[in-house]
Amino acid sequence: MTQWAFDSEQPDELVTIRTFESHAEFLLARGLLESAGIECFSRDEHAMRISSGTHKSLSGEGTALQVRKSDAEDARAILDAPPFEDGFVVEE
């Protein structure tokens, strides 16, 4: 049997940092994290999309936003940060 190089590495454990009932809120949070370079996952995103956003996961809790355990603290901090103040300007 062929053993691939990645077989010897243990992938970082995924942890749920938020659960969303709204697919739109899930997509916003995922986009925010991905724009910060944090890769996101969801076990049940496709089921929510198929059911037009009315789906709650098999557990009945909504769509879970997951990140690697090593990114969890940064991801929570990003999602917990207050929104931008009025007059926020992006400098180029």
Side-chain angles (χ1 to χ4, degrees):
M1 180 173 168
T2 303
Q3 181 174 2
W4 301 97
F6 56 80
D7 287 342
S8 61
E9 297 178 22
Q10 290 291 341
D12 202 356
E13 177 184 352
L14 296 179
V15 294
T16 299
I17 58 166
R18 292 283 192 285
T19 303
F20 299 92
E21 290 186 27
S22 163
H23 191 220
E25 289 176 346
F26 167 80
L27 291 174
L28 286 170
R30 184 179 72 183
L32 185 61
L33 294 179
E34 287 178 345
S35 70
I38 298 175
E39 193 172 12
C40 303
F41 308 90
S42 175
R43 292 185 307 258
D44 34 30
E45 176 186 3
H46 298 297
M48 178 175 252
R49 192 175 297 167
I50 289 169
S51 63
S52 302
T54 59
H55 166 77
K56 288 192 177 183
S57 68
L58 296 175
S59 65
E61 297 176 0
T63 300
L65 177 62
Q66 298 180 316
V67 298
R68 289 185 171 85
K69 190 174 187 177
S70 59
D71 291 329
E73 187 176 331
D74 291 338
R76 285 186 184 106
I78 289 168
L79 295 180
D80 290 341
F84 295 124
E85 300 281 331
D86 288 342
F88 177 78
V89 177
V90 177
E91 295 182 18
E92 293 186 24

